Every structure is written in C-alpha cells, then in structure tokens.
Amino acid sequence: MSTQKHTTVWQGAGRRIHMQEVGTRDGLQAETAFVPTEDKIALVNALSEAGLAKIEVTSFVSPKAIPALRDAEQVLREIRRVPGVVYTALVPNVRGAERAIESKADELNLVMSASESHNLSNLRMTREQSFAGLADVVRAVQGSGVAINVSLSCAFGCPMEGDVPVPVVLDWCRRFVEELGAGGVTLCDTTGMAYPTQVADLTRAFRVHWPERELTLHFHNTRGMGLANVIAAIDAGADRFDASIGGIGGCPYAPGASGNVCTEEIVHALALMGYDTGVDLPRLLDAAGQLPALIGHDVPSQILKAGRRLDLHPRPSDFAEIAQRAAARG
C-alpha cells in the first residue's frame, strides 16, 4: 500500500499564494468622498507593512475623470517603500504612463476588455483601438525598466453580451504576451459573473499556453462566489490574486453589488487551509479597521464584523451559576 501523501486544494501545505492589494485604486476610485492624500499614503504604508506582495497604489487617469485619485503623483512619490513589495499603477495611455514612471512606479497596469460592448461603454474605444493604444504605451516605455501587466476586463462574462468565448479571451492573452511582451496578465471578473468551474477551466487553459507567465486572477464578490472562485483557481494552478481591503470597490454595470473580493477574508481563509500568503493578518485588520472612518460608511468585510475564527468571546457573567444549576439537575 502506498504511503505517499496526496495533497488537495484543501491542504495548502505551505504553498505560497501572492496577495495583491487593489483597494487603494479599485476601491477608492469608486468612493464619492475624497480620502485625504496623507491618509492614502498612510493606508499604503500600512498595507506594505502587512506584507502584501503587490499594491496597486493609484491610477494615472485624468483628474476630471476620477477626481478621487487626483493626487496620484504625490501619493506614489511619498509612500514608504518596503523591499520586495511591487508598487503598481493603472495607466490608460502614454501620458499616464509617463506620469507613473516619473512618480517611480515599479509596474504599469494596462487595461482593456475582452468584450467589445464593455470596451466601448467603459473606454469609448473598440478593442482594436484599445490594443493599439496599449501598444503605444509599451513602445513609449521600452528601456525604462518598468514592468508591464495587462488586465483583461470581463474575461469571465460581459453584463451586456453574456459569456465571452474562451478562444476570444485566450487570443487577447496571446496578443498581450506575444505581441506586447507583457510580463503579466490579469484575468478580471469585472462584474462578478465568474463561477468556479469556469474559473478552473480558463486558468488551466492559460497555464497550458503560457506556463511561465505571471498570471493574476481578479475577482469580485458580486454574487457571493469570490472565495469559491479563488479556491478553484488555486486548484487549477493560479498563485496570484487581486483583492481589496475591506471588500470595497464595485462596478457601474453591477449597481448595488458588493465590490472586489475582500483581502482580509481571503487571507484568513487561506491561512486556515495552510497556505502561506506572507500577510500579517492582525496588521491587515488594523488597516482595514480604519476604512469606515476614511470613506464615511461601513465596508463589506465580514471579518471586521465577526472577527477571526478563534477570536473568542467571554462567557455570560452568570456562567458559573448556569453550570451549577445544570449540574444540580443531575
């Protein structure tokens, strides 16, 4: 009889999972209240100290388009950088890329959609026009030493078109990797349409084609399947995940829905399963606990509300009497 130990996705056995924080961009850009610059810097610093592998600090879009992130340069320049943490920024065009590089971004995150309808609605361009613009950015930053990641929105479904065919998603991935030379690709579940079987299939398909390329999965918890999708992706070979502190964020095409998967919830679950996320959960929870005051409302995070699994509560004040009465009943 074989004594070989068979591990499953339920037994992390110390496997490294890289947690990448997007709340300071994807989350804060969706807020109506402007978080003061010094508070943004303090939040990024706290996330760095908590051990996140990568932090999407901000977005270099027009301040008129996203006024919540109009302080992008100052935030990226003044954060305290921790060795080993990658500080990335979303950029929409060459000018945004130039601003990000001037502000010392380690990586540029470029975005387009797998869905023509979503790309036109969100970016006001066809997919081919977006791809040409991304190619311009890549050419403009060659030789800068800054890494390039491309995020593909609606990779798991479009709120206007429905399912996006897997061959379409993979062909855009091919163009990112082989034509643009992107160092990493992020498959984004922009409006929370992904489900575990689909996630596993697409993750495996990507890994078959580009086994050495850095792959990130970006899930939203819109329909309550965020953690299940993370586990399905891990089972299929993924080891990098975007998540948002407090679970903040959202999308205008899923009104009223919750935001990105919650960083502290994912870290908590994976730690219980034996995975190594490199994240100091108490420090992360301390940072998340500051969010409601910063943004002016409660956040979706269930861990902030209920505490960690073994955060115990005191017994009732009359517990001794209850026990005595129970014993007396024999």
Side-chain angles (χ1 to χ4, degrees):
M1 180 176 178
S2 172
T3 58
Q4 182 180 357
K5 182 179 180 180
H6 296 282
T7 59
T8 72
V9 70
W10 308 110
Q11 300 166 330
R15 177 178 165 190
R16 184 73 161 94
I17 301 294
H18 304 272
M19 296 301 302
Q20 304 178 168
E21 179 60 49
V22 299
T24 45
R25 194 279 301 174
D26 205 352
L28 294 186
Q29 76 172 18
E31 296 297 327
T32 54
F34 178 77
V35 175
T37 302
E38 58 272 20
D39 291 330
K40 288 193 183 87
I41 293 169
L43 179 57
V44 174
N45 290 345
L47 292 167
S48 295
E49 294 296 337
L52 278 301
K54 182 186 291 187
I55 301 172
E56 190 174 44
V57 177
T58 189
S59 176
F60 284 87
V61 299
S62 166
K64 293 181 181 178
I66 303 183
L69 302 180
R70 61 182 181 265
D71 51 3
E73 279 94 347
Q74 185 177 352
V75 172
L76 193 53
R77 286 173 179 159
E78 295 185 11
I79 56 173
R80 185 172 59 250
R81 298 179 184 235
V82 171
V85 179
V86 175
Y87 298 93
T88 187
L90 185 146
V91 301
N93 49 37
V94 172
R95 179 60 191 134
E98 291 170 346
R99 291 170 59 203
I101 290 173
E102 290 166 3
S103 303
K104 308 300 182 185
D106 297 323
E107 178 188 85
L108 306 182
N109 187 26
L110 316 181
V111 179
M112 64 167 281
S113 181
S115 152
E116 188 78 351
S117 297
H118 185 265
N119 208 74
L120 282 165
S121 301
N122 193 44
L123 300 176
R124 305 297 189 261
M125 291 183 281
T126 67
R127 289 173 295 180
E128 288 295 343
Q129 289 167 338
S130 282
F131 186 82
L134 301 187
D136 288 341
V137 173
V138 172
R139 283 191 291 267
V141 304
Q142 281 179 343
S144 67
V146 176
I148 297 289
N149 184 84
V150 181
S151 291
L152 187 62
S153 302
C154 293
F156 299 93
C158 169
M160 291 163 278
E161 295 180 12
D163 284 327
V164 178
V166 170
V168 172
V169 175
L170 292 177
D171 190 55
W172 284 112
C173 292
R174 178 194 61 78
R175 296 182 69 179
F176 297 155
V177 172
E178 298 176 12
E179 296 180 30
L180 296 188
V185 173
T186 301
L187 298 176
C188 301
D189 180 29
T190 309
T191 58
M193 296 174 70
Y195 59 94
T197 311
Q198 175 198 35
V199 166
D201 289 345
L202 187 53
T203 300
R204 288 192 184 100
F206 185 98
R207 279 285 176 236
V208 166
H209 286 86
W210 305 284
E212 303 303 321
R213 194 66 53 164
E214 188 174 287
L215 171 65
T216 297
L217 281 300
H218 177 111
F219 296 122
H220 285 231
N221 201 38
T222 311
R223 293 171 176 83
M225 288 188 277
L227 177 58
N229 287 333
V230 168
I231 293 171
I234 292 173
D235 195 36
D239 62 0
R240 290 183 177 273
F241 296 93
D242 285 349
S244 179
I245 188 171
I248 61 173
C251 178
Y253 295 104
S258 58
N260 301 61
V261 291
C262 175
T263 312
E264 57 268 27
E265 290 179 359
I266 302 299
V267 168
H268 177 256
L270 294 182
L272 291 172
M273 295 166 68
Y275 290 92
D276 172 20
T277 65
V279 177
D280 184 325
L281 184 56
R283 284 190 173 186
L284 182 62
L285 288 170
D286 285 345
Q290 307 303 313
L291 273 180
L294 288 180
I295 62 179
H297 61 80
D298 196 10
V299 296
S301 173
Q302 295 300 308
I303 300 298
L304 281 183
K305 296 178 177 69
R308 293 165 294 179
R309 174 176 171 268
L310 290 180
D311 286 345
L312 304 182
H313 301 273
R315 292 167 173 168
S317 58
D318 59 344
F319 182 81
E321 291 82 355
I322 293 172
Q324 288 175 352
R325 289 194 294 271
R329 290 194 294 270

